[in-house]
Amino acid sequence: MNKLYGSLILMLLCLSVSLPLLAAETDEEAKELGFWVELQTVSSRLPAKAIVWYERELTENFGLYAFVWKEADGYQEYIVGPTWKPVEELQLGCGIGRESTREEGRGARWSCFADATIGKLNLSGAAENGRISGPWKKITVTYAVTNLLEPGFIYETGFGNGLILKLNEQK
């Protein structure tokens, strides 16, 4: 139960940083708010997992991101860090946090990501490492056929290569 409280505290910390900034903004100055949840189960050999991602622009070029990753086998991690947009089409971020398992205890974990868009092509990648579970990476390449539909390719540690289909919200 303490692990759940730690994850909730991290999310509350992120909200406490962002809510005063939200209140201070006018409609024309409103910054993007990013929040998504991913639930995944692939087969009986791999545990189900849930990821909660929160992202907040603080200025035009800088922001904050945080996420919590929880798996059914007891693994969990949480990471928080800054983001930077040197140009509109590129976002970079690096963060640090903790990971834990029932068997091996707790340890530090770091994460870095990059997301680039060139026309209708999107390339994103993330890399993590930590004392408990070691390195992990994920790379996706998608092409926006329409505003709603982005087919592409994906590589993720533990899963290998495959096809991906992203369905976007209608804007």
Side-chain angles (χ1 to χ4, degrees):
M1 197 60 148
N2 287 338
K3 295 175 185 177
L4 176 62
Y5 288 131
S7 300
L8 291 174
I9 288 171
L10 175 66
M11 295 307 285
L12 289 174
L13 174 65
C14 292
L15 287 173
S16 69
V17 169
S18 297
L19 288 177
L21 295 169
L22 281 171
E25 295 173 355
T26 63
D27 289 337
E28 59 270 8
E29 296 172 332
K31 303 292 182 196
E32 268 188 53
L33 176 65
F35 179 77
W36 57 260
V37 176
E38 176 181 328
L39 303 173
Q40 184 181 85
T41 187
V42 176
S43 71
S44 60
R45 70 177 176 84
L46 296 171
K49 69 180 177 183
I51 300 171
V52 177
W53 175 277
Y54 173 80
E55 184 177 335
R56 176 80 178 114
E57 287 184 347
L58 301 176
T59 69
E60 187 175 319
N61 297 95
F62 294 97
L64 173 73
Y65 81 102
F67 73 88
V68 176
W69 177 316
K70 176 85 170 116
E71 293 185 8
D73 67 357
Y75 176 81
Q76 68 179 12
E77 71 176 79
Y78 56 91
I79 292 180
V80 64
T83 63
W84 176 46
K85 279 181 140 179
V87 293
E88 183 62 32
E89 299 81 15
L90 177 65
Q91 182 180 28
L92 307 169
C94 280
I96 190 161
R98 306 266 307 161
E99 66 177 336
S100 66
T101 65
R102 291 183 189 124
E103 301 82 28
E104 298 183 47
R106 294 181 222 185
R109 187 152 185 91
W110 62 263
S111 172
C112 290
F113 75 88
D115 186 74
T117 302
I118 303 166
K120 294 183 175 193
L121 186 68
N122 179 265
L123 172 64
S124 62
E128 295 184 13
N129 206 346
R131 180 183 65 81
I132 303 295
S133 62
W136 173 89
K137 62 185 165 222
K138 181 177 184 177
I139 300 168
T140 61
V141 178
T142 60
Y143 183 81
V145 176
T146 69
N147 288 340
L148 301 174
L149 189 64
E150 290 185 50
F153 300 95
I154 186 169
Y155 168 81
E156 184 174 349
T157 301
F159 293 105
N161 301 310
L163 300 174
I164 187 171
L165 180 60
K166 287 174 59 178
L167 301 173
N168 300 311
E169 67 179 287
Q170 191 166 2
K171 294 180 181 181

